[in-house]
Amino acid sequence: MKKVVVARKLLPAGERLLQGRFEVCSGGLDAGRDVLLELVPGAAAVVADPTVAIDQQVLAAAGDDLELIANFAVGYDNVDLDACQRSGVLLTNTPGVLTDATAELALGLTLAAARQIPAAELQLRAGSWSGWDPSDYRGSELSGATFGVVGMGRIGLRYAELISGFGGDLLYTSRSAVDRSEERLPGRRVGLEELLRESDVVSLHLAASRENKHLINRESIAMMKPQSILVNTARGSLVDADALAEALREGRLGAVGLDVFENEPGVPESLRNAPRAVLTPHIGSATYRARDAMAELTARNVISVLEGNGPLTPVSTG
Ligand code: GLV
């Protein structure tokens, strides 16, 4: 039986498909790198997730039997693509099945940030609400707002569809030559700078790469409208968190809704203490439907590759 190592945890919807077909070893949720390095020798496939760094050392420890890294996530910035390519190891991810879940969380963060819902609720829970105050918690209205979607992939497009009900304008950046939003949405493809200058809400939907680290930094924040809202459900590395916290404190940015952070589970104190910041613990895909579908697609990739039928949702490593 081929050996499949689950670096941390695969949900039952995926794990039950592997049991019986392969020898499955799971590190468990708390497993760190040392456990992974102990488990991987002889593995034919490793199931990773966004918290598990897959690099040359892991591939070398696994050895020549390793055929596949199956990432239990759509993002794969935790994986060294060059190392996979050099070792001839395939990589798969879970596109498509978490699109709705993640776009819906981005919408939730947009609303929560615009109206400061968590801070208002906390005040009430703390028993410190002293009554209706016409100047309390005034926020931004989304109806008629200009939305800027950075990265018009599957999730960006779904977010754009969801916010179309607000009846405002849509600006977006997109890498692909094909304008995927054209048939589905009226919107204008622009450069990042124009998007940042014009938008009332900026939502990030890009895959993280070395090139776009801190895409949102002091300079780009300075281009944004002082009342604007930034939402990030993509990856923490896209944003310079300290620059963001500083802009919030100094009133140069309206509000933020963030689900992802550069060094998770660490969240910089500057951000935790910043005003008008809604922060959630990387729950973009955390719906019953999406997480089960991700686990199942991860397992189906493992089965397909290890049974010689090739990857279902490959990531190009070249
Ligand atoms: C989660 O962060 C994912 O990339 O699926």
Side-chain angles (χ1 to χ4, degrees), residues 76-285:
Y76 45 84
D77 55 319
N78 55 306
V79 180
D80 181 337
L81 302 185
D82 296 339
C84 285
Q85 200 199 21
R86 277 197 307 273
S87 311
V89 171
L90 297 168
L91 171 64
T92 58
N93 66 343
T94 63
V97 294
L98 44 62
T99 302
D100 289 336
T102 309
E104 287 172 21
L105 186 80
L107 173 63
L109 287 174
T110 306
L111 285 158
R115 302 299 296 275
Q116 290 308 296
I117 296 172
E121 200 216 359
L122 269 180
Q123 186 195 27
L124 179 149
R125 282 182 189 272
S128 45
W129 181 32
S130 54
W132 190 80
D133 177 342
S135 25
D136 246 5
Y137 294 110
R138 293 173 63 180
S140 303
E141 222 154 278
L142 299 176
S143 297
T146 296
F147 283 82
V149 175
V150 183
M152 191 53 92
R154 290 183 196 81
I155 299 171
L157 180 54
R158 184 67 188 131
Y159 176 80
E161 284 178 340
L162 294 177
I163 52 90
S164 66
F166 290 117
D169 290 332
L170 169 67
L171 304 176
Y172 63 92
T173 65
S174 174
R175 230 180 4 157
S176 84
V178 184
D179 185 343
R180 299 176 69 177
S181 79
E182 244 165 24
E183 324 100 53
R184 285 164 69 172
L185 286 170
R188 200 156 56 85
R189 184 174 171 181
V190 295
L192 180 64
E193 189 169 332
E194 182 174 350
L195 182 147
L196 294 174
R197 290 193 194 283
E198 301 289 319
S199 300
D200 300 302
V201 177
V202 173
S203 191
L204 306 181
H205 298 284
L206 294 166
S209 65
R210 270 193 292 269
E211 292 72 39
N212 62 24
K213 183 177 157 84
H214 292 185
L215 181 77
I216 302 299
N217 52 30
R218 279 194 178 78
E219 275 167 31
S220 39
I221 294 169
M223 294 174 194
M224 295 173 69
K225 297 182 186 176
Q227 299 265 310
S228 63
I229 295 166
L230 177 79
V231 175
N232 188 10
T233 51
R235 281 294 181 267
S237 64
L238 294 167
V239 171
D240 176 345
D242 288 330
L244 214 56
E246 191 182 286
L248 286 165
R249 273 198 313 276
E250 294 173 3
R252 290 184 282 108
L253 196 61
V256 300
L258 309 176
D259 184 50
V260 284
F261 305 92
E262 201 163 359
N263 296 303
E264 296 176 7
V267 178
E269 205 178 327
S270 60
L271 211 47
R272 284 187 279 120
N273 293 332
R276 306 180 308 288
V278 180
L279 311 174
T280 50
H282 203 148
I283 56 171
S285 60

